[in-house]
Amino acid sequence: MARPNDEVEALLREYADLIAITGGDAFRARAYEKAARSIGGYPADVSHLDAEGLREIPNVGRSIADKVLEYLRTGRIALVEERRARIPAGVRELIRIPTLGPKKALRLYEDLHVSSVDELASAIEADALADLRGFGEKTQDNIRHGIELLRRAGSRIPLSAALETAEEIVGELSRVTGCRRCAYAGSLRRMRETVGDLDVLVAAERSAPFMAALCDLPATAEVVARGTKKTSVRTAGGLQVDLRVLPPASWGAGLQYFTGSKAHNIRTRTIAVHQGLKLSEYGLFDAGSGRSLASRTEEEVYARLGLPWIPPTLREDRGEIEAALRGELPEVVTERDIRGDLHTHTDLTDGLAPLEQMVEAAAARGYAYYAVTDHAPDLYMQRMTDEKILAQRERLRELDGVHHGMRLLHGTELNIGPEGDVDWPEDFLAGFDLCVASLHSHFDQDRAALTRRLVRACENPYVHVIGHPTTRLIGRRPGVDADWDAVFAACARTGTALEVNAQPDRLDLCDEDILRARDHGVRFAVNTDAHSVRQLAHLRYGVGTAQRGWLTREDVINAWPLSRLRRFLRGG
């Protein structure tokens, strides 16, 4: 199921970690990290490339290309195996903990003989780290929180990986003779940020061919249980897939039943009971006579309960039933509503593709407008200069309108400094069409300082959008500790939009924060923060998160026509 690019990316990232753990050259480790990122974002399948083709990928030199070819040929890289053998398994387990770096993990192993996550948790509770240099109270708090994040994630996998697997399985099963309908359901259809297992439904007269097909898929590593109504398998990536085959007449009821959260389904079943009905995966029935009243479509089932169809992303029992009964269910924003992407990068800074390729790919998506927002100079490793950004602006103006009339906006992603200041003086900022401002450092400031910092950025008249506001990385880094209600109020007051960052490991703001910010009257921008052509397609994850936050076209500035967006950017 995983793309060869993703497999190679994971292996090269692991090698970079192993270099760091063993005290290897930091620049070499960084080179492997950059190559991993480039390969992961490369649009072509690396398994189809030769050495010359691999070396055309940014940051991939001869040595790394040779290692990639070795992996594609043998399924392993000898140097990685050698490094693994030098590192105790316990240390490799410890570096899975968010906030705990490889050097600290090695010290814990060598000084305290800690070799597992549970042992480290016990050592912290026993105050055994107190005498270790570099493991002060704040560091221990961060590690403790990292352990909580790791345990909370458990065996859950990211939305993007689950969706990719689900679409492959649905595609395969849809080709089996006798398939009338096939779809995924459950938390994936609700677009939750992580997925514990995968629910796949098929509508067919006979179940046996589909159960056999699932068990025989190349991605199936283990058959957990096989039956006539339900079969469960586990993929090589550890994801459990539960397949249920329903009679075609029950398709709508089954899809409704297996999509909603437990709480949402309790509410719909309660409504049914109060009407003298019984709701199950097979249909909505009269409780007395057993006569089927609705089952073929979800719309039919909801209508018989006295409700409009409720979008899957809202089915969490967070007020959607009450809103539906009042006729106030939002018409949530869709991917088709998004007219342009307002946060993207090119190879001028840390992107993988040149400006021309990114613009062409954006136009192919049918956008009306598109913004390029490369990093500003305070993110020093990107080596941005005034001359570079102005040259990019000139080239962007040349390309404006060339591709299907798509209009181009020249922007930048500014860095919000420790005091809330941003890169470049005001007279220089005035030349940009759009400025996104984001936190990239000093995440450990206290709550009051972080709040002041974010509010000051909102108050800057040249900042239009706060990018990936909480800075979280799902399962790896918690969001910063700020008074978010104060920040949301400042955004509403100053007319600064908050980003819903569509990168699958960010989805920042998350749905719960979106709901809170929306109550303050904040506007939003659903952006990909794309660093490659392939990442432009991540928009779907941002839109799903926006839907879970009940956002409509009116709430999202890049769902507006360009004329209205420009008025917003001018402060009008």
Side-chain angles (χ1 to χ4, degrees):
M1 292 291 181
R3 295 169 69 237
N5 301 46
D6 298 332
E7 295 172 359
V8 172
E9 178 185 13
L11 198 59
L12 294 182
R13 285 189 186 279
E14 181 189 358
Y15 189 49
D17 283 340
L18 293 172
I19 291 171
I21 292 172
T22 53
D25 181 20
F27 289 102
R28 187 166 177 236
R30 177 67 178 151
Y32 277 93
E33 287 176 359
K34 291 170 73 174
R37 190 169 157 275
S38 294
I39 290 170
Y42 196 66
D45 186 335
V46 294
S47 66
H48 299 154
L49 301 179
D50 59 13
E52 185 178 350
L54 287 169
R55 289 198 297 272
E56 290 178 2
I57 301 174
N59 304 310
V60 177
R62 182 181 301 277
S63 175
I64 292 176
D66 288 344
K67 290 181 177 63
V68 174
L69 290 172
E70 179 187 354
Y71 172 74
L72 295 172
R73 187 176 64 254
T74 68
R76 61 192 292 274
I77 298 176
L79 275 177
V80 176
E81 300 288 338
E82 290 172 17
R83 289 266 180 176
R84 281 175 178 164
R86 292 165 56 187
I87 306 297
V91 178
R92 296 205 300 273
E93 181 180 351
L94 291 178
I95 63 172
R96 293 171 52 230
I97 300 171
T99 75
L100 183 64
K103 290 182 180 178
K104 279 189 165 61
L106 188 59
R107 281 206 50 207
L108 288 167
Y109 179 81
E110 290 177 341
D111 294 359
L112 297 179
H113 308 294
V114 169
S115 60
S116 73
V117 175
D118 289 340
E119 286 179 10
L120 179 54
S122 298
I124 292 174
E125 293 309 310
D127 203 25
L129 277 61
D131 295 332
L132 277 184
R133 187 179 177 185
F135 286 87
E137 188 174 334
K138 185 151 194 172
T139 299
Q140 291 186 53
D141 285 342
N142 288 338
I143 294 172
R144 189 182 289 110
H145 190 65
I147 292 172
E148 289 173 9
L149 284 174
L150 185 64
R151 286 174 170 169
R152 202 180 306 148
S155 59
R156 299 184 71 84
I157 71 168
L159 169 65
S160 56
L163 192 54
E164 186 176 316
T165 300
E167 289 178 338
E168 278 197 51
I169 291 173
V170 167
E172 292 289 342
L173 295 181
S174 295
R175 288 190 280 272
V176 175
T177 302
C179 180
R180 300 273 288 275
R181 301 287 295 271
C182 184
Y184 55 82
S187 58
L188 179 59
R189 190 169 177 233
R190 301 199 309 276
M191 295 294 281
R192 286 196 61 181
E193 62 193 35
T194 60
V195 174
D197 51 36
L198 195 57
D199 293 298
V200 177
L201 306 181
V202 164
E205 300 293 349
R206 296 176 59 244
S207 66
F210 300 93
M211 303 310 188
L214 179 66
C215 294
D216 292 341
L217 286 179
T220 297
E222 175 189 3
V223 177
V224 178
R226 182 167 177 174
T228 56
K229 294 183 178 180
K230 176 184 173 182
T231 289
S232 298
V233 303
R234 191 167 285 112
T235 69
L239 179 64
Q240 180 165 317
V241 181
D242 297 328
L243 170 64
R244 294 172 175 86
V245 178
L246 301 164
S250 297
W251 175 255
L255 195 57
Q256 190 278 332
Y257 186 89
F258 288 112
T259 293
S261 70
K262 182 179 179 180
H264 177 89
N265 286 352
I266 288 172
R267 295 295 304 280
T268 54
R269 288 200 300 271
T270 300
I271 291 172
V273 169
H274 288 164
Q275 297 180 17
L277 308 174
K278 181 182 178 182
L279 179 61
S280 74
E281 65 265 45
Y282 295 106
L284 186 62
F285 302 91
D286 182 283
S289 67
R291 183 168 61 93
S292 175
L293 304 175
S295 63
R296 289 190 174 274
T297 68
E298 286 190 313
E299 289 84 353
E300 208 177 270
V301 173
Y302 277 112
R304 186 59 183 80
L305 292 173
L307 298 167
W309 179 79
I310 298 175
T313 45
L314 301 187
R315 300 181 198 176
E316 297 285 358
D317 191 28
R318 294 195 290 205
E320 72 277 6
I321 299 290
E322 292 79 2
L325 290 170
R326 294 193 305 267
E328 297 175 0
L329 205 61
E331 188 175 336
V332 290
V333 67
T334 69
E335 197 170 351
R336 291 188 302 276
D337 294 326
I338 302 299
R339 297 170 184 248
D341 201 331
L342 301 181
H343 181 179
T344 67
H345 297 273
T346 74
D347 63 358
L348 184 62
T349 55
D350 59 345
L352 302 178
L355 172 67
E356 291 79 5
Q357 283 186 18
M358 293 297 288
V359 169
E360 186 177 352
R365 294 182 61 81
Y367 287 148
Y369 48 82
Y370 175 72
V372 174
T373 56
D374 275 313
H375 288 288
D378 284 356
L379 204 63
Y380 65 91
M381 71 283 291
Q382 304 305 338
R383 300 177 182 175
M384 177 58 79
T385 65
D386 295 6
E387 292 75 22
K388 284 182 180 179
I389 201 77
L390 291 175
Q392 183 187 68
R393 182 177 300 167
E394 185 176 342
R395 178 58 179 149
L396 199 78
R397 299 301 183 228
E398 293 172 358
L399 293 171
D400 186 28
V402 169
H403 295 284
H404 311 295
M406 183 179 73
R407 305 308 305 270
L408 299 177
L409 303 175
H410 190 229
T412 183
E413 184 180 9
L414 302 167
N415 306 284
I416 302 175
E419 301 301 322
D421 51 314
V422 297
D423 325 59
W424 282 312
E426 289 193 353
D427 60 342
F428 197 84
L429 291 177
F432 290 101
D433 299 314
L434 166 73
C435 290
V436 177
S438 308
L439 298 174
H440 292 112
S441 64
H442 298 85
F443 301 146
D444 59 351
Q445 288 180 309
D446 64 37
R447 182 181 178 86
L450 277 162
T451 303
R452 283 194 303 271
R453 184 179 172 189
L454 285 160
V455 169
R456 186 180 172 199
C458 294
E459 291 172 342
N460 187 311
Y462 295 100
V463 170
H464 304 104
V465 180
I466 302 295
H468 46 75
T470 76
T471 79
R472 75 166 184 167
L473 294 173
I474 297 170
R476 290 190 287 143
R477 184 173 74 205
V480 296
D481 181 21
D483 180 347
W484 288 106
D485 286 307
V487 174
F488 298 156
C491 286
R493 171 171 51 82
T494 61
T496 307
L498 285 169
E499 182 173 73
V500 180
N501 189 292
Q503 287 290 320
D505 63 345
R506 287 191 184 275
L507 301 181
D508 182 14
L509 290 172
C510 71
D511 54 352
E512 292 178 353
D513 287 337
I514 293 169
L515 287 164
R516 285 169 59 194
R518 183 172 171 268
D519 286 343
H520 283 273
V522 174
R523 300 294 194 185
F524 302 84
V526 182
N527 298 322
T528 64
D529 191 6
H531 285 66
S532 68
V533 166
R534 185 169 176 258
Q535 289 181 0
L536 290 171
H538 286 169
L539 182 69
R540 65 195 301 194
Y541 310 124
V543 169
T545 303
Q547 289 182 351
R548 289 178 59 79
W550 291 45
L551 296 188
T552 67
R553 288 191 300 271
E554 181 63 24
D555 298 313
V556 178
I557 64 171
N558 52 324
W560 297 349
L562 180 59
S563 57
R564 185 180 178 189
L565 174 64
R566 286 195 185 277
R567 287 196 301 272
F568 174 86
L569 297 177
R570 290 194 300 265

